[in-house]
Amino acid sequence: MARLVFWLCFHFLLRDGNDLERRPEASSGVSVKKIGLSVVISVGVAITMYILTLIVPTGLMPWQEMSGVTAPFATAMTRIGFPFLGTLLLFAACLGVIGVYNSVFFGATRLLYSLGEYGLIPKKFTKLHRKYKTPTTAIFFVSAIAVIVLFVGQSLFIPLVNVAAVSYIILWGSTLFSVIRLRSKYPDLPRSVKMPGGKPMMIYGSIVSIALLLTMLIPISPAALNWPSEYILLIVLLGLGIVLYFFRDKSMSETERSELILGSLHGKKED
């Protein structure tokens, strides 16, 4: 049940990529509006594909038989007499995993770099490679964690996936609450992207995020994290974030940090 909640969150929270694309956009010269539109289209395509991956196998074999199968698409193709297509689908799935890892790795390292640049974590994360201009410290940090998880196996990987769902929910909810507050307090600020559905959609999303968070944190909930291992892992990861924040670049003032994060909006906010 917890994994089901994670996938529901994942489908609708792919919008987080909009935040991670700020740096590539700055160097490519593409307008924010076009990037926002591309993210919306990408999310729509991804949701459509996820729906199809749930519907198509059920038309090829009874869903009761798929409940205990790890590769339903490949198994369904083999059952109807196309084992080659089943193998081909498995190969495509492996390529898909590599693609997802590549995009997540890129996003995670650039996010750490941005946090370091904004003075929210140690400044060492802003160190760039002399030749390639890539965030060296962030890449080593993320790579070390990835290697550890690789050797630990499913005993840690599955709890990490479940805890990641909580992180996505918090990220989504905090973003919505921030947008609601910003648009309520500063309604006249220029905005290049309109919020689909307006304020009602923001409020609805906030309520959904709170509900999803409670379903995963309340122990008696069917979708709750496993007690006590996943709760301990959640506390450890929160502790890691607190430690990184404690050793942040304290030479940067709050005013400087606000100017870096808000950019041109900072002056208008003060007005």
Side-chain angles (χ1 to χ4, degrees), residues 112-150:
L112 287 171
Y113 172 81
S114 297
L115 289 173
E117 194 176 41
Y118 296 151
L120 296 173
I121 61 176
K123 195 174 181 179
K124 289 183 178 180
F125 284 95
T126 62
K127 182 181 178 182
L128 298 177
H129 191 277
R130 292 183 179 180
K131 181 179 180 180
Y132 301 108
K133 304 301 179 184
T134 50
T136 308
T137 304
I139 288 175
F140 279 123
F141 183 80
V142 175
S143 298
I145 295 177
V147 170
I148 292 173
V149 174
L150 178 64

Side-chain angles (χ1 to χ4, degrees), residues 41-57:
I41 293 174
S42 299
V43 172
V45 172
I47 292 175
T48 302
M49 294 303 296
Y50 278 124
I51 294 174
L52 288 175
T53 57
L54 293 174
I55 295 176
V56 173

Side-chain angles (χ1 to χ4, degrees), residues 158-173:
I158 298 301
L160 274 175
V161 171
N162 293 333
V163 172
V166 178
S167 304
Y168 271 109
I169 294 170
I170 294 174
L171 176 62
W172 187 32

Side-chain angles (χ1 to χ4, degrees), residues 150-201:
L150 178 64
F151 285 100
V152 171
Q154 289 190 354
S155 59
L156 181 60
F157 180 75
I158 298 301
L160 274 175
V161 171
N162 293 333
V163 172
V166 178
S167 304
Y168 271 109
I169 294 170
I170 294 174
L171 176 62
W172 187 32
S174 61
T175 301
L176 285 170
F177 282 119
S178 299
V179 172
I180 292 173
R181 176 172 172 78
L182 186 62
R183 299 203 174 198
S184 299
K185 195 170 183 180
Y186 308 103
D188 299 327
L189 286 177
R191 295 178 172 90
S192 57
V193 180
K194 293 183 179 180
M195 174 71 181
K199 193 171 183 179
M201 182 59 69

Side-chain angles (χ1 to χ4, degrees), residues 60-106:
L60 300 176
M61 60 184 292
W63 66 267
Q64 294 89 344
E65 297 182 20
M66 289 193 301
S67 59
V69 176
T70 56
F73 251 122
T75 303
M77 287 297 176
T78 303
R79 293 280 181 91
I80 63 175
F82 297 97
F84 171 75
L85 290 179
T87 304
L88 188 63
L89 284 171
L90 287 175
F91 178 72
C94 292
L95 294 180
V97 171
I98 295 174
V100 170
Y101 174 80
N102 182 61
S103 60
V104 171
F105 185 85
F106 176 88

